[in-house]
Amino acid sequence: MAETNAHATGGGHSHPYHLVDPSPWPLLGAFSGGLLAVGAILFMHGSGWLLLALGFVAVLAVMAGWWRDVLKEAVRQKAHTPVVKLGLRYGMALFIASEVMFFAAFFWAFFDASLFPKEAIGGVWPPENIETFNAFHLPLMMTLILLLSGTTVTWAHHAIIEGDRRTASVALGLTVLLGVLFSGFQIYEYTHAHFGFTDGIYPSTFFMATGFHGFHVVIGTIFLAVCWWRTAAGHFTPQSHFGFEAAAWYWHFVDVVWLFLFVSIYWWGA
C-alpha cells in the first residue's frame, strides 16, 4: 500500500494505475511489421531481400525504443505498482493465448492437407516429389537444444528468486547462446532443404509453421538478451522481476510449440 501511495503522490495521481504517455511505437511497430512481412513474402518468391532486411532492422529499432520507454517507466518512474504488475501478467497471459490460436491455424492447415491429401498431389502424404527431413537427425538436435534452453532459463529464474545475480547472468547467457544456436541450425536446415518455398502444399505448410516458430525464437532470444542485460544491471530483485518472468513464459511457450512441430511435421508428417 505504501508503494502504491508513493507512486500516486509522486506521479500526481490518486490511483495505483499507470496512465501511459502517448507513444509512437504501436504505429511504428505496425508499419515495421508490415514491411517485414511484405519483404518476407517477396523473398520467398526470389526477390525482396533488401525490403526484408529493412523490415527486420525497423522491427529491432522499434523494440529498442519501446523497451527503453518501458524500462524508464519501471526503473526510474516506479510506475509498475502491484496493480499494474497484475495487469501486465494478465496481458502477457492473453498474448500467449493469442499466439496459441496463431499456431493452431498453421497446424490446422497442415493436418487438413496431410490427413485428407487431395487428388492434385496424388492422394498421398507427403507428396511423391517431396524429400522430407529425417526427424532424428538435425531436427532432433534442435529439439534437444530448445529443451536444454528451457532448463537454463528455469535455472536463471531460481537464481533470481534466491538473489544470486551472478548465477542468473550465467544461466541467461547460456539460454541466449542456445537460442542463437537453434536459429543457426534452422538456417542451415532451410538452405539444405530439397524443396523450395513454392513447390506445393507441403513446403507451404512446412515453412509457414516452422518459419514462424523460428521467428518467435529470434524474438524470444532478443527478449532474453534484454533480460540478461537487465540482470547484470541489477534491475531484477527476488520480489520484483516480472520482466524476466514474461520472457520465461514466452520461451517455454516456444519450447512447447516446437515439440508439437517436431512430432507432427518432422516425425509423423514425414
Side-chain angles (χ1 to χ4, degrees), residues 8 17 28 34 37-39 52 89 92 101 103 130 147 150 176 179 190 210 219 221 268:
Y17 302 100
L28 293 177
V38 172
L52 176 64
R89 289 179 181 275
M92 192 65 191
M101 295 298 100
F103 279 99
I130 296 296
L147 291 178
V176 171
Y190 277 13
T210 61
I219 296 300
T221 302
W268 177 84

Side-chain angles (χ1 to χ4, degrees), residues 131-152:
E131 182 180 346
T132 62
F133 291 101
N134 187 329
F136 297 100
H137 285 175
L138 189 59
L140 179 60
M141 176 66 71
M142 295 162 67
T143 302
L144 295 176
I145 289 172
L146 267 192
L147 291 178
L148 181 58
S149 71
T151 64
T152 55

Side-chain angles (χ1 to χ4, degrees), residues 32-229:
S32 301
L35 189 65
L36 179 64
V38 172
I41 293 171
L42 293 176
F43 178 77
M44 293 177 191
H45 288 79
S47 62
W49 67 268
L50 182 58
L51 197 62
L52 176 64
L54 288 174
F56 186 71
V57 171
V59 168
L60 289 180
V62 169
M63 291 173 69
W66 210 333
W67 252 311
R68 181 203 61 194
D69 290 352
V70 172
L71 293 183
K72 182 176 67 174
E73 295 163 359
V75 179
R76 297 184 197 169
Q77 300 175 359
K78 306 297 183 184
H80 291 178
T81 66
V83 174
V84 172
K85 289 178 182 178
L86 182 61
L88 292 174
R89 289 179 181 275
Y90 286 151
M92 192 65 191
L94 289 173
F95 170 70
I96 292 177
S98 71
E99 291 283 274
V100 171
M101 295 298 100
F102 182 78
F103 279 99
F106 299 144
F107 280 107
W108 187 301
F110 176 80
F111 282 114
D112 177 71
S114 58
L115 291 174
F116 307 101
K118 306 302 186 287
E119 185 177 346
I121 60 173
V124 295
W125 189 267
E128 294 180 354
N129 65 321
I130 296 296
E131 182 180 346
T132 62
F133 291 101
N134 187 329
F136 297 100
H137 285 175
L138 189 59
L140 179 60
M141 176 66 71
M142 295 162 67
T143 302
L144 295 176
I145 289 172
L146 267 192
L147 291 178
L148 181 58
S149 71
T151 64
T152 55
V153 78
T154 302
W155 178 27
H157 192 190
H158 283 286
I160 290 175
I161 292 174
E162 295 171 1
D164 188 351
R165 189 197 304 178
R166 182 177 180 278
T167 300
S169 295
V170 171
L172 265 177
L174 288 174
T175 307
V176 171
L177 180 63
L178 290 168
V180 172
L181 188 62
F182 178 91
S183 297
F185 275 129
Q186 187 163 37
I187 293 172
Y188 177 86
E189 177 189 64
Y190 277 13
T191 57
H192 288 76
H194 295 285
F195 46 84
F197 294 112
T198 58
D199 288 345
I201 185 62
Y202 183 90
S204 295
T205 54
F206 174 86
F207 286 120
M208 185 65 74
T210 61
F212 266 108
H213 176 269
F215 177 73
H216 282 70
V217 170
V218 172
I219 296 300
T221 302
I222 297 171
F223 200 171
L224 289 169
V226 172
C227 290
W228 185 18
W229 172 80

Side-chain angles (χ1 to χ4, degrees), residues 1-16 78 81-82:
M1 188 67 180
E3 182 182 352
T4 300
N5 291 335
H7 171 66
T9 303
H13 302 301
S14 59
H15 55 74
K78 306 297 183 184
T81 66

